[in-house]
Amino acid sequence: MKRANLLLFWVPLLLSAAPRPLSLDDMHKWKDANDPRCSPDGKWVAYTLSSVDAAADKRDTDIWMISLDGKQQLRVTTSPESETSPRWSPDGRYLAFLSSRPGTGKNKGSQIWLLDRRGGEAQQLTDSKARISAFEWAPDSKRMAVLLKDEEEDVKKLSDKDREKPRPIVIDRYSFK
């Protein structure tokens, strides 16, 4: 008799805990952690955390830091524009990142921003007309190597006729494997 009562008790619990299928709303709640970078002293990890704002139809990426033991977690950036590619200076004093947030420069697009670890607001470091796609610190923490892509030069190389319509893709044989 006790087994029947126990079974009747567990059946409603099991039915209520049944998983439901995933929906698109569930997928918008997921967050993606990427680009982890360990600080030079080995005590912190800076990374990006991306989330989706379904109402605004926009993806936002912010920079976070977590202590290596996992006990402390700090949100470093909060701007509505995305921040990517966190890079520690070799001396550990600065954290640089890419962002297209509005700044003091006249050029739009991703620029390098510099955040002092001791506190304060991020300062715009570059004002490049060309798109910055990557950067790395020099070992002395005083310089950076920056990879730029000048999109205007690619457009200038095309003639007026080529800019009007794309060239057709011609396939003259079927490649197998």
Side-chain angles (χ1 to χ4, degrees):
M1 189 70 165
K2 288 184 181 182
R3 286 186 186 177
N5 289 340
L6 186 61
L7 183 61
L8 290 176
F9 174 74
W10 282 103
V11 168
L13 277 177
L14 291 174
L15 291 177
S16 68
R20 62 178 176 78
L22 287 176
S23 68
L24 286 177
D25 293 332
D26 294 331
M27 292 175 58
H28 291 301
K29 294 176 187 174
W30 293 347
K31 296 187 178 191
D32 298 324
N34 289 307
D35 205 4
R37 297 291 170 146
C38 192
S39 65
D41 63 4
K43 295 181 181 178
W44 292 90
V45 175
Y47 63 97
T48 60
L49 190 66
S50 300
S51 60
V52 174
D53 183 2
D57 193 25
K58 186 178 176 188
R59 183 175 200 83
D60 185 32
T61 304
D62 292 311
I63 297 176
W64 288 70
M65 288 187 346
I66 188 167
S67 61
L68 207 56
D69 61 5
K71 293 180 181 177
Q72 291 180 313
Q73 188 171 0
L74 305 168
R75 185 176 184 173
V76 177
T77 62
T78 59
S79 107
E81 295 296 325
S82 291
E83 295 89 15
T84 60
S85 306
R87 301 291 183 265
W88 295 97
S89 62
D91 62 6
R93 184 173 174 193
Y94 296 103
L95 184 64
F97 58 90
L98 290 177
S99 180
S100 58
R101 58 170 66 176
T104 57
K106 60 184 177 181
N107 292 311
K108 295 182 179 179
S110 287
Q111 302 295 330
I112 299 175
W113 290 74
L114 198 61
L115 186 65
D116 194 334
R117 288 257 337 257
R118 296 173 294 177
E121 190 63 34
Q123 303 295 319
Q124 185 175 353
L125 188 63
T126 61
D127 187 23
S128 172
K129 186 191 286 188
R131 186 173 64 91
I132 298 174
S133 56
F135 70 97
E136 286 296 331
W137 284 92
D140 62 359
S141 296
K142 294 180 181 178
R143 296 170 289 159
M144 287 185 182
V146 180
L147 184 61
L148 302 171
K149 178 169 171 112
D150 191 6
E151 295 174 8
E152 292 177 10
E153 290 297 322
D154 293 340
V155 173
K156 288 179 186 176
K157 290 178 185 176
L158 297 174
S159 68
D160 291 335
K161 187 177 178 182
D162 290 337
R163 281 189 219 142
E164 290 175 13
K165 59 182 179 179
R167 303 183 106 193
I169 299 171
V170 178
I171 300 172
D172 58 358
R173 66 185 176 121
Y174 180 69
S175 298
F176 180 72
K177 292 188 180 180

